[in-house]
Amino acid sequence: IIHKCRLSALQLEFVALASQRHESRLASGSRKGFFLGDGAGMGKGRQIAGLILENFLKGRRKHIWVSTSHDLKEDAMRDLSDL
């Protein structure tokens, strides 16, 4: 992903920070989350796809991607397959 420049430096920073956050747990035992509040056109789909891939490589196999439209579902599928 890095050598082929599939994510920008800022997108990789998000994946790294969110991944670090997922390493720690709440008092209830649940993993801690990470809020992604970037604006339109910032590549949030790529960032989420990168985070899912990172978690998958760490053995975390359950992921939920919620979207507001069918078009965004197609974009999410593309982002996942591109990585």
Side-chain angles (χ1 to χ4, degrees), residues 20-56:
Q20 287 174 359
R21 188 78 171 155
H22 287 168
E23 292 292 327
S24 48
R25 294 187 176 266
L26 298 169
S28 66
S30 298
R31 290 196 188 278
K32 290 184 178 179
F34 192 92
F35 178 77
L36 175 59
D38 289 348
M42 299 302 293
K44 290 181 294 297
R46 289 277 175 151
Q47 291 170 274
I48 294 169
L51 183 58
I52 288 173
L53 177 60
E54 173 71 12
N55 277 296
F56 186 84

Side-chain angles (χ1 to χ4, degrees), residues 8-76:
S8 71
L10 289 174
Q11 291 169 330
L12 281 172
E13 181 181 25
F14 162 80
V15 172
L17 292 172
S19 182
Q20 287 174 359
R21 188 78 171 155
H22 287 168
E23 292 292 327
S24 48
R25 294 187 176 266
L26 298 169
S28 66
S30 298
R31 290 196 188 278
K32 290 184 178 179
F34 192 92
F35 178 77
L36 175 59
D38 289 348
M42 299 302 293
K44 290 181 294 297
R46 289 277 175 151
Q47 291 170 274
I48 294 169
L51 183 58
I52 288 173
L53 177 60
E54 173 71 12
N55 277 296
F56 186 84
L57 294 173
K58 290 185 175 185
R60 300 180 196 127
R61 302 292 192 241
K62 295 180 182 180
H63 306 92
I64 298 173
W65 190 323
V66 179
S67 181
T68 59
S69 73
H70 186 68
D71 291 339
L72 292 176
K73 177 188 172 210
E74 298 301 320
D75 290 343

